[in-house]
Each structure stands twice: as C-alpha cells, then as structure tokens.
C-alpha cells in the first residue's frame, strides 16, 4: 500500500475573501483575482467561512426484504456562514438589510443614505466566490445563485468592530448549473501519486 501522506497538503488559510456579482455571473478563470463585475465584501473574522452540506434520504422498504430496496435522496442543501467585520460596507449592509445596493447610495448633498427595511423579505439573489488561500495553494467555491437566509444579531460595540454574521444558501444556476463548484490549486505540491496510471 502506497503511503501518500504529504505535510504540504495540510491547509491553513492565511486569507479568506468573499466576492459578489449579479446572479449567474461567470466564475473568474484560473484563480485570478476577481475583476469587474465582482466586488469584495471586505474583511471577515479569522474563522473564515463555515461550509455545510445537509443531506436527507428516505429508505423504501418492501415485503420479503430485510433491507431497504431503494434509497431516495430527499434533500441536499449547501450553505455557508461568514462573519464580516466591515459593518458599514455598503455590500455587506445591503445583504444584511435585504435591500438593493442602490438603496445605500448616499445623497450628494447630505452624504446620508436612508432606506426602509422591508417588512416582507425580498428574494435578492447573487453569484458568490469564496476564496481561501494558503501560500500558493488555493481553494475556491463558486456559487452562481445564492442568497442570505439567516442573519445573526446586530450588536454595535464600543470596544471592538461590529461583526455582521450571515448564512448563505445556494441553488442551481442558469442552464441547471450546479449550485456549488469547487476549484483546487495545489500550488507547487506534487499530487501525481494520488492518481495511479490507468
């Protein structure tokens, strides 16, 4: 049995970046830093993002069999929780307050932006890119169709920054594109030993 352990494949994120664009915007290519129309949501806590996959299935029982004859997948939900540190970032505010980014544009004379929080939640959807970096190694999650489904408590503080916690849920994109696409850049690490020749 081949020993494929490789300490260089351990991953400790040194940065965590979240970018947003209009729903179904194509993912940036080749781990390039996202350019227009992608916009960065600013600094996040050192915990980065918490990615979750929740799956539920149902077994179909039948007479004459002691085991299920079929298993049906009834749910597969992908979500990601992030705590942002820039409580005044217009993009973060618009996601948390569930209003369009245009609502946060300040008036030219007063420099103030004032808007009503919606009584009925709006179904505002966007494309997201979540980049995790460790030296020259990178992981990227691209979601063409996502929205904020949970918001943490908002608590402005006098001794620290104001964290803004949100949970995103992801759905299939245009042309039935997968809800989440993961890309890996192994950097300079040789991983050929994991893929024996056919």
């Amino acid at each position: 049995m081949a020993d494929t352990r490789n300490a260089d494949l351990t991953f400790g994120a040194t940065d965590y970046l979240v970018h947003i664009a209009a729903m179904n915007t194509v993912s940036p290519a080749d781990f390039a830093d996202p350019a227009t129309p992608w916009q960065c949501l600013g600094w996040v806590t050192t915990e980065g993002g918490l990615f979750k996959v929740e799956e539920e299935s149902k077994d179909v029982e039948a007479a004459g069999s002691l085991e299920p004859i079929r298993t049906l997948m009834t749910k597969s939900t992908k979500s990601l929780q992030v705590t942002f540190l820039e409580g005044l970032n217009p993009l973060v505010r618009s996601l948390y307050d569930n209003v369009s980014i245009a609502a946060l544009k300040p008036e030219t004379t007063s420099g103030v932006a004032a808007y009503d929080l919606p009584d009925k939640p709006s179904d505002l959807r966007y494309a997201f890119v979540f980049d995790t970096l460790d030296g020259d190694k990178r992981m990227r999650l691209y979601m063409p169709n996502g929205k904020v489904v949970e918001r943490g408590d908002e608590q402005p503080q006098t001794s620290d920054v104001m964290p803004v916690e949100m949970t995103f849920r992801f759905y299939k994109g245009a042309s039935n594109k997968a809800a989440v696409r993961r890309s890996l850049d192994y950097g300079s690490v040789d991983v050929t030993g994991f893929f024996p020749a056919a």
Side-chain angles (χ1 to χ4, degrees), residues 1 24 27 40 55-56 59 61 93 113 120-121 146 148 150 160 174 191-192:
M1 182 185 313
N24 291 315
S27 175
C40 184
E55 296 178 342
E56 292 179 8
D59 290 336
E61 310 285 344
R93 282 265 53 103
K120 180 180 177 185
V148 176
E150 292 180 29
D160 205 344
V191 294
T192 56

Side-chain angles (χ1 to χ4, degrees), residues 11 15-19 26-35 38 51 80 128-134 137-143 179-186:
F11 195 88
D15 205 352
Y16 193 85
L17 300 169
V18 183
H19 290 83
V26 177
S27 175
D30 302 326
F31 282 96
D33 290 333
W38 293 96
F51 183 62
L80 201 149
F128 294 94
V129 168
F130 298 84
D131 279 346
T132 313
L133 318 173
D134 180 7
K137 297 174 285 189
R138 293 178 176 226
M139 285 194 281
R140 170 173 283 169
L141 293 173
Y142 162 66
M143 292 81 161
V180 178
R181 179 178 180 84
R182 184 186 298 273
S183 300
L184 303 172
D185 182 350
Y186 298 107

Side-chain angles (χ1 to χ4, degrees), residues 155-168:
Q155 183 179 3
Q157 301 178 37
T158 59
S159 61
D160 205 344
V161 297
M162 181 178 78
V164 182
E165 180 187 300
M166 290 180 272
T167 301
F168 303 87

